[in-house]
mmCIF file with all atom_site columns, all heavy atoms in Angstrom:
data_model
loop_
_atom_site.group_PDB
_atom_site.id
_atom_site.type_symbol
_atom_site.label_atom_id
_atom_site.label_alt_id
_atom_site.label_comp_id
_atom_site.label_asym_id
_atom_site.label_entity_id
_atom_site.label_seq_id
_atom_site.pdbx_PDB_ins_code
_atom_site.Cartn_x
_atom_site.Cartn_y
_atom_site.Cartn_z
_atom_site.occupancy
_atom_site.B_iso_or_equiv
_atom_site.pdbx_formal_charge
_atom_site.auth_seq_id
_atom_site.auth_comp_id
_atom_site.auth_asym_id
_atom_site.auth_atom_id
_atom_site.pdbx_PDB_model_num
ATOM 1   N N   . ARG A 1 351 ? -5.115 18.273 -8.679  1.00 0.00 ? 351 ARG A N   1
ATOM 2   C CA  . ARG A 1 351 ? -4.495 19.540 -9.070  1.00 0.00 ? 351 ARG A CA  1
ATOM 3   C C   . ARG A 1 351 ? -3.954 20.283 -7.846  1.00 0.00 ? 351 ARG A C   1
ATOM 4   O O   . ARG A 1 351 ? -2.826 20.786 -7.854  1.00 0.00 ? 351 ARG A O   1
ATOM 5   C CB  . ARG A 1 351 ? -5.520 20.409 -9.803  1.00 0.00 ? 351 ARG A CB  1
ATOM 6   C CG  . ARG A 1 351 ? -5.079 21.851 -10.046 1.00 0.00 ? 351 ARG A CG  1
ATOM 7   C CD  . ARG A 1 351 ? -3.899 21.942 -10.984 1.00 0.00 ? 351 ARG A CD  1
ATOM 8   N NE  . ARG A 1 351 ? -3.436 23.339 -11.117 1.00 0.00 ? 351 ARG A NE  1
ATOM 9   C CZ  . ARG A 1 351 ? -2.493 23.730 -11.972 1.00 0.00 ? 351 ARG A CZ  1
ATOM 10  N NH1 . ARG A 1 351 ? -1.918 22.854 -12.775 1.00 0.00 ? 351 ARG A NH1 1
ATOM 11  N NH2 . ARG A 1 351 ? -2.133 24.998 -12.035 1.00 0.00 ? 351 ARG A NH2 1
ATOM 12  N N   . LYS A 1 352 ? -4.741 20.344 -6.804  1.00 0.00 ? 352 LYS A N   1
ATOM 13  C CA  . LYS A 1 352 ? -4.305 21.035 -5.589  1.00 0.00 ? 352 LYS A CA  1
ATOM 14  C C   . LYS A 1 352 ? -3.062 20.373 -4.998  1.00 0.00 ? 352 LYS A C   1
ATOM 15  O O   . LYS A 1 352 ? -2.127 21.042 -4.550  1.00 0.00 ? 352 LYS A O   1
ATOM 16  C CB  . LYS A 1 352 ? -5.438 21.047 -4.563  1.00 0.00 ? 352 LYS A CB  1
ATOM 17  C CG  . LYS A 1 352 ? -5.123 21.843 -3.295  1.00 0.00 ? 352 LYS A CG  1
ATOM 18  C CD  . LYS A 1 352 ? -6.328 21.899 -2.378  1.00 0.00 ? 352 LYS A CD  1
ATOM 19  C CE  . LYS A 1 352 ? -6.012 22.713 -1.122  1.00 0.00 ? 352 LYS A CE  1
ATOM 20  N NZ  . LYS A 1 352 ? -7.194 22.776 -0.210  1.00 0.00 ? 352 LYS A NZ  1
ATOM 21  N N   . ARG A 1 353 ? -3.045 19.042 -5.005  1.00 0.00 ? 353 ARG A N   1
ATOM 22  C CA  . ARG A 1 353 ? -1.887 18.312 -4.495  1.00 0.00 ? 353 ARG A CA  1
ATOM 23  C C   . ARG A 1 353 ? -0.648 18.587 -5.351  1.00 0.00 ? 353 ARG A C   1
ATOM 24  O O   . ARG A 1 353 ? 0.469  18.746 -4.831  1.00 0.00 ? 353 ARG A O   1
ATOM 25  C CB  . ARG A 1 353 ? -2.206 16.816 -4.486  1.00 0.00 ? 353 ARG A CB  1
ATOM 26  C CG  . ARG A 1 353 ? -1.156 15.911 -3.848  1.00 0.00 ? 353 ARG A CG  1
ATOM 27  C CD  . ARG A 1 353 ? -1.694 14.480 -3.829  1.00 0.00 ? 353 ARG A CD  1
ATOM 28  N NE  . ARG A 1 353 ? -0.722 13.498 -3.392  1.00 0.00 ? 353 ARG A NE  1
ATOM 29  C CZ  . ARG A 1 353 ? -0.466 13.203 -2.126  1.00 0.00 ? 353 ARG A CZ  1
ATOM 30  N NH1 . ARG A 1 353 ? -1.119 13.830 -1.162  1.00 0.00 ? 353 ARG A NH1 1
ATOM 31  N NH2 . ARG A 1 353 ? 0.440  12.286 -1.829  1.00 0.00 ? 353 ARG A NH2 1
ATOM 32  N N   . ALA A 1 354 ? -0.842 18.668 -6.669  1.00 0.00 ? 354 ALA A N   1
ATOM 33  C CA  . ALA A 1 354 ? 0.272  18.949 -7.566  1.00 0.00 ? 354 ALA A CA  1
ATOM 34  C C   . ALA A 1 354 ? 0.847  20.332 -7.314  1.00 0.00 ? 354 ALA A C   1
ATOM 35  O O   . ALA A 1 354 ? 2.070  20.528 -7.374  1.00 0.00 ? 354 ALA A O   1
ATOM 36  C CB  . ALA A 1 354 ? -0.178 18.819 -9.017  1.00 0.00 ? 354 ALA A CB  1
ATOM 37  N N   . GLU A 1 355 ? -0.019 21.297 -7.049  1.00 0.00 ? 355 GLU A N   1
ATOM 38  C CA  . GLU A 1 355 ? 0.450  22.667 -6.819  1.00 0.00 ? 355 GLU A CA  1
ATOM 39  C C   . GLU A 1 355 ? 1.306  22.783 -5.575  1.00 0.00 ? 355 GLU A C   1
ATOM 40  O O   . GLU A 1 355 ? 2.165  23.678 -5.491  1.00 0.00 ? 355 GLU A O   1
ATOM 41  C CB  . GLU A 1 355 ? -0.749 23.609 -6.707  1.00 0.00 ? 355 GLU A CB  1
ATOM 42  C CG  . GLU A 1 355 ? -1.475 23.837 -8.020  1.00 0.00 ? 355 GLU A CG  1
ATOM 43  C CD  . GLU A 1 355 ? -2.743 24.652 -7.845  1.00 0.00 ? 355 GLU A CD  1
ATOM 44  O OE1 . GLU A 1 355 ? -3.331 24.628 -6.742  1.00 0.00 ? 355 GLU A OE1 1
ATOM 45  O OE2 . GLU A 1 355 ? -3.143 25.316 -8.815  1.00 0.00 ? 355 GLU A OE2 1
ATOM 46  N N   . THR A 1 356 ? 1.094  21.901 -4.608  1.00 0.00 ? 356 THR A N   1
ATOM 47  C CA  . THR A 1 356 ? 1.851  21.983 -3.364  1.00 0.00 ? 356 THR A CA  1
ATOM 48  C C   . THR A 1 356 ? 3.003  20.979 -3.330  1.00 0.00 ? 356 THR A C   1
ATOM 49  O O   . THR A 1 356 ? 4.172  21.353 -3.235  1.00 0.00 ? 356 THR A O   1
ATOM 50  C CB  . THR A 1 356 ? 0.925  21.766 -2.156  1.00 0.00 ? 356 THR A CB  1
ATOM 51  O OG1 . THR A 1 356 ? 0.199  20.531 -2.334  1.00 0.00 ? 356 THR A OG1 1
ATOM 52  C CG2 . THR A 1 356 ? -0.078 22.897 -2.031  1.00 0.00 ? 356 THR A CG2 1
ATOM 53  N N   . LEU A 1 357 ? 2.690  19.692 -3.451  1.00 0.00 ? 357 LEU A N   1
ATOM 54  C CA  . LEU A 1 357 ? 3.714  18.655 -3.296  1.00 0.00 ? 357 LEU A CA  1
ATOM 55  C C   . LEU A 1 357 ? 4.625  18.517 -4.509  1.00 0.00 ? 357 LEU A C   1
ATOM 56  O O   . LEU A 1 357 ? 5.771  18.085 -4.376  1.00 0.00 ? 357 LEU A O   1
ATOM 57  C CB  . LEU A 1 357 ? 3.054  17.301 -3.011  1.00 0.00 ? 357 LEU A CB  1
ATOM 58  C CG  . LEU A 1 357 ? 2.491  17.066 -1.624  1.00 0.00 ? 357 LEU A CG  1
ATOM 59  C CD1 . LEU A 1 357 ? 2.011  15.632 -1.493  1.00 0.00 ? 357 LEU A CD1 1
ATOM 60  C CD2 . LEU A 1 357 ? 3.521  17.375 -0.540  1.00 0.00 ? 357 LEU A CD2 1
ATOM 61  N N   . PHE A 1 358 ? 4.123  18.825 -5.714  1.00 0.00 ? 358 PHE A N   1
ATOM 62  C CA  . PHE A 1 358 ? 4.882  18.553 -6.925  1.00 0.00 ? 358 PHE A CA  1
ATOM 63  C C   . PHE A 1 358 ? 5.356  19.833 -7.608  1.00 0.00 ? 358 PHE A C   1
ATOM 64  O O   . PHE A 1 358 ? 5.549  19.863 -8.823  1.00 0.00 ? 358 PHE A O   1
ATOM 65  C CB  . PHE A 1 358 ? 4.046  17.727 -7.907  1.00 0.00 ? 358 PHE A CB  1
ATOM 66  C CG  . PHE A 1 358 ? 3.380  16.523 -7.290  1.00 0.00 ? 358 PHE A CG  1
ATOM 67  C CD1 . PHE A 1 358 ? 2.103  16.136 -7.676  1.00 0.00 ? 358 PHE A CD1 1
ATOM 68  C CD2 . PHE A 1 358 ? 4.030  15.785 -6.314  1.00 0.00 ? 358 PHE A CD2 1
ATOM 69  C CE1 . PHE A 1 358 ? 1.492  15.031 -7.111  1.00 0.00 ? 358 PHE A CE1 1
ATOM 70  C CE2 . PHE A 1 358 ? 3.420  14.679 -5.736  1.00 0.00 ? 358 PHE A CE2 1
ATOM 71  C CZ  . PHE A 1 358 ? 2.146  14.302 -6.129  1.00 0.00 ? 358 PHE A CZ  1
ATOM 72  N N   . SER A 1 359 ? 5.576  20.876 -6.864  1.00 0.00 ? 359 SER A N   1
ATOM 73  C CA  . SER A 1 359 ? 6.000  22.145 -7.450  1.00 0.00 ? 359 SER A CA  1
ATOM 74  C C   . SER A 1 359 ? 7.525  22.210 -7.549  1.00 0.00 ? 359 SER A C   1
ATOM 75  O O   . SER A 1 359 ? 8.243  21.666 -6.703  1.00 0.00 ? 359 SER A O   1
ATOM 76  C CB  . SER A 1 359 ? 5.505  23.320 -6.602  1.00 0.00 ? 359 SER A CB  1
ATOM 77  O OG  . SER A 1 359 ? 6.227  23.390 -5.381  1.00 0.00 ? 359 SER A OG  1
ATOM 78  N N   . PRO A 1 360 ? 8.071  22.869 -8.588  1.00 0.00 ? 360 PRO A N   1
ATOM 79  C CA  . PRO A 1 360 ? 9.523  23.038 -8.690  1.00 0.00 ? 360 PRO A CA  1
ATOM 80  C C   . PRO A 1 360 ? 10.120 23.749 -7.482  1.00 0.00 ? 360 PRO A C   1
ATOM 81  O O   . PRO A 1 360 ? 11.237 23.427 -7.064  1.00 0.00 ? 360 PRO A O   1
ATOM 82  C CB  . PRO A 1 360 ? 9.684  23.870 -9.961  1.00 0.00 ? 360 PRO A CB  1
ATOM 83  C CG  . PRO A 1 360 ? 8.483  23.532 -10.795 1.00 0.00 ? 360 PRO A CG  1
ATOM 84  C CD  . PRO A 1 360 ? 7.369  23.370 -9.789  1.00 0.00 ? 360 PRO A CD  1
ATOM 85  N N   . ALA A 1 361 ? 9.367  24.706 -6.902  1.00 0.00 ? 361 ALA A N   1
ATOM 86  C CA  . ALA A 1 361 ? 9.891  25.433 -5.744  1.00 0.00 ? 361 ALA A CA  1
ATOM 87  C C   . ALA A 1 361 ? 10.082 24.505 -4.553  1.00 0.00 ? 361 ALA A C   1
ATOM 88  O O   . ALA A 1 361 ? 11.091 24.588 -3.833  1.00 0.00 ? 361 ALA A O   1
ATOM 89  C CB  . ALA A 1 361 ? 8.943  26.576 -5.382  1.00 0.00 ? 361 ALA A CB  1
ATOM 90  N N   . ARG A 1 362 ? 9.120  23.615 -4.341  1.00 0.00 ? 362 ARG A N   1
ATOM 91  C CA  . ARG A 1 362 ? 9.250  22.678 -3.222  1.00 0.00 ? 362 ARG A CA  1
ATOM 92  C C   . ARG A 1 362 ? 10.410 21.706 -3.456  1.00 0.00 ? 362 ARG A C   1
ATOM 93  O O   . ARG A 1 362 ? 11.190 21.425 -2.539  1.00 0.00 ? 362 ARG A O   1
ATOM 94  C CB  . ARG A 1 362 ? 7.943  21.893 -3.039  1.00 0.00 ? 362 ARG A CB  1
ATOM 95  C CG  . ARG A 1 362 ? 7.988  20.905 -1.867  1.00 0.00 ? 362 ARG A CG  1
ATOM 96  C CD  . ARG A 1 362 ? 6.707  20.090 -1.786  1.00 0.00 ? 362 ARG A CD  1
ATOM 97  N NE  . ARG A 1 362 ? 6.792  19.094 -0.737  1.00 0.00 ? 362 ARG A NE  1
ATOM 98  C CZ  . ARG A 1 362 ? 6.378  19.262 0.519   1.00 0.00 ? 362 ARG A CZ  1
ATOM 99  N NH1 . ARG A 1 362 ? 5.845  20.408 0.884   1.00 0.00 ? 362 ARG A NH1 1
ATOM 100 N NH2 . ARG A 1 362 ? 6.489  18.289 1.405   1.00 0.00 ? 362 ARG A NH2 1
ATOM 101 N N   . LEU A 1 363 ? 10.533 21.207 -4.684  1.00 0.00 ? 363 LEU A N   1
ATOM 102 C CA  . LEU A 1 363 ? 11.630 20.295 -4.989  1.00 0.00 ? 363 LEU A CA  1
ATOM 103 C C   . LEU A 1 363 ? 12.965 20.984 -4.754  1.00 0.00 ? 363 LEU A C   1
ATOM 104 O O   . LEU A 1 363 ? 13.873 20.409 -4.131  1.00 0.00 ? 363 LEU A O   1
ATOM 105 C CB  . LEU A 1 363 ? 11.528 19.827 -6.443  1.00 0.00 ? 363 LEU A CB  1
ATOM 106 C CG  . LEU A 1 363 ? 12.706 18.992 -6.960  1.00 0.00 ? 363 LEU A CG  1
ATOM 107 C CD1 . LEU A 1 363 ? 12.868 17.713 -6.167  1.00 0.00 ? 363 LEU A CD1 1
ATOM 108 C CD2 . LEU A 1 363 ? 12.543 18.694 -8.449  1.00 0.00 ? 363 LEU A CD2 1
ATOM 109 N N   . ALA A 1 364 ? 13.104 22.216 -5.235  1.00 0.00 ? 364 ALA A N   1
ATOM 110 C CA  . ALA A 1 364 ? 14.371 22.930 -5.071  1.00 0.00 ? 364 ALA A CA  1
ATOM 111 C C   . ALA A 1 364 ? 14.699 23.155 -3.595  1.00 0.00 ? 364 ALA A C   1
ATOM 112 O O   . ALA A 1 364 ? 15.860 23.032 -3.181  1.00 0.00 ? 364 ALA A O   1
ATOM 113 C CB  . ALA A 1 364 ? 14.318 24.263 -5.813  1.00 0.00 ? 364 ALA A CB  1
ATOM 114 N N   . ALA A 1 365 ? 13.690 23.465 -2.798  1.00 0.00 ? 365 ALA A N   1
ATOM 115 C CA  . ALA A 1 365 ? 13.927 23.685 -1.365  1.00 0.00 ? 365 ALA A CA  1
ATOM 116 C C   . ALA A 1 365 ? 14.379 22.399 -0.686  1.00 0.00 ? 365 ALA A C   1
ATOM 117 O O   . ALA A 1 365 ? 15.301 22.403 0.150   1.00 0.00 ? 365 ALA A O   1
ATOM 118 C CB  . ALA A 1 365 ? 12.655 24.224 -0.715  1.00 0.00 ? 365 ALA A CB  1
ATOM 119 N N   . GLU A 1 366 ? 13.738 21.284 -1.034  1.00 0.00 ? 366 GLU A N   1
ATOM 120 C CA  . GLU A 1 366 ? 14.110 19.993 -0.445  1.00 0.00 ? 366 GLU A CA  1
ATOM 121 C C   . GLU A 1 366 ? 15.552 19.628 -0.821  1.00 0.00 ? 366 GLU A C   1
ATOM 122 O O   . GLU A 1 366 ? 16.338 19.166 0.013   1.00 0.00 ? 366 GLU A O   1
ATOM 123 C CB  . GLU A 1 366 ? 13.152 18.901 -0.928  1.00 0.00 ? 366 GLU A CB  1
ATOM 124 C CG  . GLU A 1 366 ? 11.729 19.035 -0.419  1.00 0.00 ? 366 GLU A CG  1
ATOM 125 C CD  . GLU A 1 366 ? 11.532 18.399 0.943   1.00 0.00 ? 366 GLU A CD  1
ATOM 126 O OE1 . GLU A 1 366 ? 12.505 17.880 1.506   1.00 0.00 ? 366 GLU A OE1 1
ATOM 127 O OE2 . GLU A 1 366 ? 10.390 18.433 1.430   1.00 0.00 ? 366 GLU A OE2 1
ATOM 128 N N   . VAL A 1 367 ? 15.886 19.816 -2.090  1.00 0.00 ? 367 VAL A N   1
ATOM 129 C CA  . VAL A 1 367 ? 17.213 19.431 -2.559  1.00 0.00 ? 367 VAL A CA  1
ATOM 130 C C   . VAL A 1 367 ? 18.274 20.359 -1.994  1.00 0.00 ? 367 VAL A C   1
ATOM 131 O O   . VAL A 1 367 ? 19.373 19.916 -1.632  1.00 0.00 ? 367 VAL A O   1
ATOM 132 C CB  . VAL A 1 367 ? 17.248 19.419 -4.098  1.00 0.00 ? 367 VAL A CB  1
ATOM 133 C CG1 . VAL A 1 367 ? 18.667 19.156 -4.597  1.00 0.00 ? 367 VAL A CG1 1
ATOM 134 C CG2 . VAL A 1 367 ? 16.301 18.346 -4.635  1.00 0.00 ? 367 VAL A CG2 1
ATOM 135 N N   . GLU A 1 368 ? 17.958 21.636 -1.894  1.00 0.00 ? 368 GLU A N   1
ATOM 136 C CA  . GLU A 1 368 ? 18.939 22.560 -1.315  1.00 0.00 ? 368 GLU A CA  1
ATOM 137 C C   . GLU A 1 368 ? 19.244 22.194 0.136   1.00 0.00 ? 368 GLU A C   1
ATOM 138 O O   . GLU A 1 368 ? 20.393 22.303 0.589   1.00 0.00 ? 368 GLU A O   1
ATOM 139 C CB  . GLU A 1 368 ? 18.433 23.999 -1.400  1.00 0.00 ? 368 GLU A CB  1
ATOM 140 C CG  . GLU A 1 368 ? 19.517 25.025 -1.098  1.00 0.00 ? 368 GLU A CG  1
ATOM 141 C CD  . GLU A 1 368 ? 19.059 26.453 -1.320  1.00 0.00 ? 368 GLU A CD  1
ATOM 142 O OE1 . GLU A 1 368 ? 17.837 26.699 -1.370  1.00 0.00 ? 368 GLU A OE1 1
ATOM 143 O OE2 . GLU A 1 368 ? 19.937 27.318 -1.433  1.00 0.00 ? 368 GLU A OE2 1
ATOM 144 N N   . ALA A 1 369 ? 18.239 21.722 0.874   1.00 0.00 ? 369 ALA A N   1
ATOM 145 C CA  . ALA A 1 369 ? 18.468 21.271 2.253   1.00 0.00 ? 369 ALA A CA  1
ATOM 146 C C   . ALA A 1 369 ? 19.381 20.045 2.263   1.00 0.00 ? 369 ALA A C   1
ATOM 147 O O   . ALA A 1 369 ? 20.272 19.919 3.119   1.00 0.00 ? 369 ALA A O   1
ATOM 148 C CB  . ALA A 1 369 ? 17.137 20.956 2.931   1.00 0.00 ? 369 ALA A CB  1
ATOM 149 N N   . LEU A 1 370 ? 19.191 19.130 1.295   1.00 0.00 ? 370 LEU A N   1
ATOM 150 C CA  . LEU A 1 370 ? 20.082 17.978 1.189   1.00 0.00 ? 370 LEU A CA  1
ATOM 151 C C   . LEU A 1 370 ? 21.500 18.427 0.855   1.00 0.00 ? 370 LEU A C   1
ATOM 152 O O   . LEU A 1 370 ? 22.474 17.895 1.405   1.00 0.00 ? 370 LEU A O   1
ATOM 153 C CB  . LEU A 1 370 ? 19.564 17.009 0.119   1.00 0.00 ? 370 LEU A CB  1
ATOM 154 C CG  . LEU A 1 370 ? 20.479 15.823 -0.195  1.00 0.00 ? 370 LEU A CG  1
ATOM 155 C CD1 . LEU A 1 370 ? 20.643 14.913 1.023   1.00 0.00 ? 370 LEU A CD1 1
ATOM 156 C CD2 . LEU A 1 370 ? 19.958 15.028 -1.391  1.00 0.00 ? 370 LEU A CD2 1
ATOM 157 N N   . TYR A 1 371 ? 21.626 19.393 -0.047  1.00 0.00 ? 371 TYR A N   1
ATOM 158 C CA  . TYR A 1 371 ? 22.950 19.905 -0.393  1.00 0.00 ? 371 TYR A CA  1
ATOM 159 C C   . TYR A 1 371 ? 23.681 20.437 0.844   1.00 0.00 ? 371 TYR A C   1
ATOM 160 O O   . TYR A 1 371 ? 24.888 20.194 1.025   1.00 0.00 ? 371 TYR A O   1
ATOM 161 C CB  . TYR A 1 371 ? 22.829 21.024 -1.423  1.00 0.00 ? 371 TYR A CB  1
ATOM 162 C CG  . TYR A 1 371 ? 22.460 20.598 -2.818  1.00 0.00 ? 371 TYR A CG  1
ATOM 163 C CD1 . TYR A 1 371 ? 22.181 21.548 -3.800  1.00 0.00 ? 371 TYR A CD1 1
ATOM 164 C CD2 . TYR A 1 371 ? 22.392 19.261 -3.191  1.00 0.00 ? 371 TYR A CD2 1
ATOM 165 C CE1 . TYR A 1 371 ? 21.853 21.189 -5.098  1.00 0.00 ? 371 TYR A CE1 1
ATOM 166 C CE2 . TYR A 1 371 ? 22.056 18.888 -4.482  1.00 0.00 ? 371 TYR A CE2 1
ATOM 167 C CZ  . TYR A 1 371 ? 21.787 19.866 -5.433  1.00 0.00 ? 371 TYR A CZ  1
ATOM 168 O OH  . TYR A 1 371 ? 21.452 19.497 -6.709  1.00 0.00 ? 371 TYR A OH  1
ATOM 169 N N   . ALA A 1 372 ? 22.963 21.189 1.660   1.00 0.00 ? 372 ALA A N   1
ATOM 170 C CA  . ALA A 1 372 ? 23.591 21.731 2.870   1.00 0.00 ? 372 ALA A CA  1
ATOM 171 C C   . ALA A 1 372 ? 24.081 20.609 3.776   1.00 0.00 ? 372 ALA A C   1
ATOM 172 O O   . ALA A 1 372 ? 25.187 20.666 4.329   1.00 0.00 ? 372 ALA A O   1
ATOM 173 C CB  . ALA A 1 372 ? 22.603 22.636 3.603   1.00 0.00 ? 372 ALA A CB  1
#
Side-chain angles (χ1 to χ4, degrees):
R351 170 65 184 186
K352 185 176 181 180
R353 186 175 173 84
E355 289 174 334
T356 53
L357 285 186
F358 311 142
S359 72
R362 181 184 176 93
L363 173 61
E366 292 274 2
V367 174
E368 192 174 18
L370 174 64
Y371 287 173

